[in-house]
Amino acid sequence: MALPGTRARGWAAAAKIAQRRRHAEGARGSSSRAPPSSRAALYVHWPYCEKRCSYCNFNKYVPCGVDEAAMRSCLVTEAQTLLRLSGVRRVESVFFGGGTPSLASPSTVAAVLEAVDQAAHLPADSEVTLEANPTSPSGARLAAFGAAGVNRLSIGLQSLDDTELQLLGRTHSARDALQTLAEARRLFPGRVSVDLMLGLPAQQVGPWLGQLRMLLGRCDDHLSLYQLTLERGTALFTQVQRGTLPAPDPELAAEMYQEGRAVLREAGFRQYEVSNFARNGALSTHNWTYWQCGQYLGIGPGAHGRFVPQGAGGHTREARIQTLEPDNWMKEVMLFGHGTRRRVPLGQLELLEEVLAMGLRTDVGITHQHWQQFEPQLSLWDVFGASQEVKALLAQGLLLLDHRGLRCSWEGLAVLDSLLLTLLPRLQEAWQQRTPSPVQGG
């Protein structure tokens, strides 16, 4: 299953891959006008971590040892298989997530990217992101990932307070975080994103805003704010349940979010999505595919995907979930070429619900043209234009419905979940009224 000659060639040849891709693109010409059904983003899940953080319930494992050669081979095989099954001919972005993919070898990243480019087309300017923890990669290792084809880093700082980092179970200090960030910016200028968490137990607004302002003096052009969610089964959830930690205060968290986004706006950042902020045009094109309900393939244990398989008449989009546990996933990949555990065909209404919920997360919202790609007969005006509840939201300045489409205002983005409680039932009603109920017995 490994690429021919990958092991013998070693990762030293990885630096040549990006150059070969640039030459190949020139020879093949641009395929940016390829139809949506032949384009996709690719997510690669690396399931291993050095330690499980106290708040995390992602599909990740802390193994005694990792057979990376086997994992690399299976990632390559599954990428090749799903690209063939999907009929995708152009991969517009790749995101290595986890887990902690910066614990993988640069040779694994290089092998996956080379396989993708051979099976489809990975343009030389495609966004290739790697998630990294501040403790896992040295400067030389980050440079090696760059040579392997990575051109964007997403660094999980989470906090610049050492006490909070210990509470979260992180293995790095605030000093480690800032050192890694500085090195990343040197190697990937303008292409470094950082995460900052809010709403931790006992966290206060003033000190957290101090962290944010400190980070603004050190960060690049992309920043994500994530509110802590207590997930059942995590150490932090258990501590709060037992009373050894105070429960996070939702009102304080809301204040942090509102104050934080205002600080970022003043600093020249565009809030282009509920949790994501960018300046100088440094949006994540990979995540934008998710929010625009584009196709994406998920490879690796527990990865999720959304695409239209070949042979489905070009209409039935599927939600796919890969087998969670790495050893079982690898066995299935070796037997079948992929480890898809679950396939769920999405009905037209389900797809429109996704288009609505995901699109409204962005400041662009849903344009009329974008909506018509998924529903050419029932317009946004048809669905929402006559609703008194929607008109009330428009009057409050939380929503906008005009010649551009449907979108949240800046104030509305902060309360999107409550807006969807009105909008989703209205979509369901409009869909039922549009589609006649089948005659009983007929």
Side-chain angles (χ1 to χ4, degrees), residues 63 81 328:
T81 301
N328 291 335

Side-chain angles (χ1 to χ4, degrees), residues 218-294:
R218 307 286 188 91
C219 75
D220 212 330
D221 292 332
H222 193 282
L223 194 147
S224 301
L225 298 182
Y226 294 118
Q227 182 176 343
L228 172 69
T229 302
L230 287 178
E231 301 284 1
R232 187 175 297 275
T234 64
L236 209 55
F237 179 90
T238 301
Q239 289 174 289
V240 171
Q241 286 291 99
R242 290 175 177 172
T244 56
L245 279 177
D249 186 328
E251 292 187 4
L252 280 181
E255 186 178 351
M256 288 177 203
Y257 177 69
Q258 290 285 44
E259 293 284 342
R261 64 203 290 256
V263 166
L264 287 166
R265 183 163 70 170
E266 290 171 7
F269 281 80
R270 166 189 167 193
Q271 185 179 10
Y272 72 98
E273 191 267 345
V274 170
S275 298
N276 288 274
F277 303 78
R279 61 187 172 191
N280 299 323
L283 285 67
S284 168
T285 59
H286 181 87
N287 288 337
W288 193 260
T289 297
Y290 297 154
W291 300 320
Q292 292 293 293
C293 282

Side-chain angles (χ1 to χ4, degrees), residues 364-439:
V364 173
I366 307 156
T367 66
H368 294 292
Q369 294 82 359
H370 181 66
W371 181 263
Q372 287 171 359
Q373 290 177 12
F374 297 91
E375 176 46 57
Q377 297 180 11
L378 195 65
S379 73
L380 289 171
W381 291 111
D382 295 333
V383 178
F384 302 110
S387 167
Q388 293 303 313
E389 291 176 303
V390 173
K391 287 180 179 178
L393 297 175
L394 296 171
Q396 293 171 45
L398 298 175
L399 275 180
L400 296 97
L401 177 61
D402 54 23
H403 66 283
R404 288 168 54 188
L406 179 69
R407 62 196 180 280
C408 294
S409 66
W410 193 79
E411 293 77 14
L413 274 179
V415 291
L416 173 60
D417 287 349
S418 65
L419 302 184
L420 290 174
L421 293 177
T422 297
L423 296 173
L424 285 169
R426 179 61 205 133
L427 171 59
Q428 292 156 5
E429 288 173 19
W431 182 259
Q432 289 167 358
Q433 292 166 4
R434 171 190 180 276
T435 307
S437 301
V439 178

Side-chain angles (χ1 to χ4, degrees), residues 52-69:
R52 179 172 286 276
C53 298
S54 64
Y55 61 91
C56 182
N57 74 337
F58 291 168
N59 185 44
K60 54 176 61 175
Y61 304 83
V62 183
C64 296
V66 175
D67 185 349
E68 185 166 353

